[in-house]
Amino acid sequence: MRHLIRPLTTAARPFTSPHTYRRWAYLVIGGALLTPFATAALVLATLVTGTGTAQNPPGPAGWLLALALTLAALAATARIPGVATAQHQLARALLRGPLDRLPDTPPTPGARAALWLCLHTLTGMAVCLITMTGLTESALLAVAPLVGDPYTVSQGPFTLLGHGPLTPAQRLAGPLLGLALLAALTAAVALTGHLLSLPAPRLLGPSPARLLADAQARARTLAERNRLARELHDSLGHALSVVTLQAATAARLLDSDPEFARQALTHIADQARTATADLDHALGILREDTPAPTAPPPDLTDLDHLAATADHTGTPLHLTLNGDPRTVPALLSRETYRIAQQALTNALTHAPGHPLDLTLHITPRHLRLNARNPLPRRTPLTRRRTGGRGITGMQERAHLLGGTLTAGPDPGADPPHWTLDLTLNWKDTDTP
């Protein structure tokens, strides 16, 4: 039973789909737009050729001239500012189809917009003519059993039932023929609308150059958003991890060691100010009207401050520095600092209280950063269950800089350790 219903459903789809009637209206609008252009062009063509009377009707030359004048007027109209946009919006609202899958970017006035306007109006005029003829004939066929003489219903003869008086069989067959004609008209309009929707993306959609420019702009925007997400994740995540640990320590030692609690609160205030500065820096990039931040973002020269911050959380950071961080290009220095900061944040989150060994080796064209901390035997209760973007963000930073980063447990260490290794190279020390 299902294999019989499915073909019937498919055959009835053009008659039940709202697309058919929206496209029908779109085509009729095209025919209405063509009417004044065609009328004016036909009048001019008859004046030029000296035809247009009952004794001298327009010949092939007159009709070709009228068609050429109509197309020229349509092409000129398509170049008026706003016409291409209106055609684009009207097609997206009524014609729809493949055009809906493209960005809502109207075409620029030009040859493609002119070609679409000509195609829309000429196809629409043809649909208007068959609509007027088909609907009239269908109505006359439907009322055939009710009238005695077809000439009392229309000014012309019944095309499908002949020119003579109707027989009883013709009167009974009239409504069936009218329904069949209406169905054929609807199917023809549905097919015409579907065929017209196929070239719409190429003629009404953005040009290939515009699509490429939009794709590049979206890629730049996405890359900038990802960079800002990494900045906020690393800076604010680190600050919040430090503040959380220091606040918990201050609360625990407030009575027994008030001096240490006071120092912890001082460091919490420092971290809050640092996080605010990083947030202002990120928001300044997002908002074009915001003045550029005066304070530069931290880089490898600030590793000593990072180590001091870690010590106040109860997680000692042992920093080993070989080489001069000032010789590292500025971009690489900032990004490497963020990776080191995220490594410390991970250690504070997953292994609080365990020491972190941070080793940075710098040569004129190369640096290597190694972070290593023991893994706790038992998962701490304060471990966060959400997140997990830290390592991914560090790997993205390393990849964008042309480096490599690996992170994971060291299976050969006893006790087990977590190890992060970053390698970066650059061509020369003059890289900005």
Side-chain angles (χ1 to χ4, degrees):
M1 187 66 178
R2 182 177 301 176
H3 69 278
L4 295 177
I5 296 177
R6 183 173 298 176
L8 294 177
T9 304
T10 303
R13 188 172 300 165
F15 306 99
T16 59
S17 173
H19 286 311
T20 298
Y21 304 100
R22 278 196 295 261
R23 290 170 176 173
W24 202 333
Y26 181 76
L27 292 168
V28 170
I29 291 174
L33 291 175
L34 182 65
T35 300
F37 293 97
T39 303
L42 184 59
V43 171
L44 290 176
T46 56
L47 292 177
V48 170
T49 59
T51 59
T53 62
Q55 294 77 19
N56 187 19
W63 289 109
L64 290 177
L65 179 59
L67 178 61
L69 292 175
T70 301
L71 295 178
L74 289 172
T77 303
R79 293 184 176 273
I80 298 176
V83 173
T85 301
Q87 281 283 306
H88 175 84
Q89 294 175 348
L90 185 63
R92 288 184 72 91
L94 297 178
L95 189 62
R96 308 182 75 170
L99 190 63
D100 286 349
R101 294 191 286 270
L102 292 180
D104 190 8
T105 304
T108 55
R112 294 188 306 127
L115 180 59
W116 177 260
L117 184 59
C118 294
L119 183 62
H120 176 207
T121 54
L122 291 175
T123 307
M125 177 58 73
V127 169
C128 283
L129 294 176
I130 65 171
T131 298
M132 290 186 294
T133 303
L135 291 181
T136 302
E137 186 69 19
S138 297
L140 294 177
L141 290 170
V143 299
L146 306 177
V147 297
D149 189 348
Y151 292 97
T152 63
V153 180
S154 71
Q155 296 179 355
F158 280 25
T159 305
L160 296 181
L161 297 182
H163 297 264
L166 299 180
T167 64
Q170 288 177 328
R171 293 181 184 278
L172 294 177
L176 297 179
L177 289 175
L179 184 61
L181 180 60
L182 185 60
L185 174 63
T186 304
V189 172
L191 178 61
T192 303
H194 172 71
L195 295 177
L196 186 64
S197 69
L198 298 180
R202 183 177 297 274
L203 298 180
L204 279 182
S207 63
R210 182 67 175 273
L211 286 175
L212 179 60
D214 290 345
Q216 291 174 342
R218 287 194 295 272
R220 288 192 297 267
T221 300
L222 182 60
E224 186 67 14
R225 288 180 176 178
N226 289 338
R227 186 177 72 84
L228 290 176
R230 290 192 298 269
E231 289 285 340
L232 293 175
H233 178 274
D234 294 349
S235 60
L236 296 184
H238 171 75
L240 292 175
S241 296
V242 171
V243 166
T244 300
L245 291 175
Q246 289 180 336
T249 304
R252 188 174 63 252
L253 301 178
L254 184 61
D255 295 330
S256 60
D257 193 348
E259 182 60 28
F260 185 87
R262 187 180 299 107
Q263 293 179 1
L265 293 175
T266 301
H267 289 297
I268 288 175
D270 292 339
Q271 286 297 316
R273 283 191 291 269
T274 302
T276 301
D278 290 339
L279 182 60
D280 288 341
H281 177 75
L283 293 179
I285 298 175
L286 284 174
R287 296 183 57 185
E288 297 180 357
D289 57 342
T290 302
T294 56
D299 55 20
L300 290 177
T301 60
D302 298 302
L303 284 179
D304 291 336
H305 176 72
L306 185 65
T309 301
D311 290 337
H312 290 294
T313 65
T315 298
L317 190 154
H318 301 151
L319 176 62
T320 302
L321 181 60
N322 299 319
D324 187 358
R326 293 174 296 182
T327 63
V328 179
L331 175 61
L332 274 64
S333 182
R334 293 193 298 268
E335 296 301 313
T336 304
Y337 175 86
R338 291 302 188 190
I339 291 175
Q341 186 183 53
Q342 182 60 40
L344 175 58
T345 301
N346 290 346
L348 293 174
T349 303
H350 302 291
H354 292 72
L356 172 67
D357 295 323
L358 192 65
T359 303
L360 178 63
H361 181 74
I362 300 173
T363 66
R365 297 186 180 183
H366 170 88
L367 72 79
R368 181 177 180 181
L369 177 71
N370 180 269
R372 181 181 175 87
N373 65 279
L375 291 174
R377 297 289 185 179
R378 181 171 53 89
T379 301
L381 297 178
T382 57
R383 180 174 179 176
R384 294 182 299 179
R385 299 297 178 183
T386 59
R389 301 184 180 89
I391 295 178
T392 301
M394 291 188 289
Q395 290 174 338
E396 289 176 352
R397 287 181 185 273
H399 177 72
L400 290 174
L401 297 175
T404 58
L405 184 145
T406 58
D410 186 357
D414 186 25
H417 279 66
W418 181 274
T419 302
L420 179 145
D421 194 77
L422 167 69
T423 302
L424 289 178
N425 298 291
W426 58 93
K427 292 183 179 179
D428 54 72
T429 56
D430 297 329
T431 303

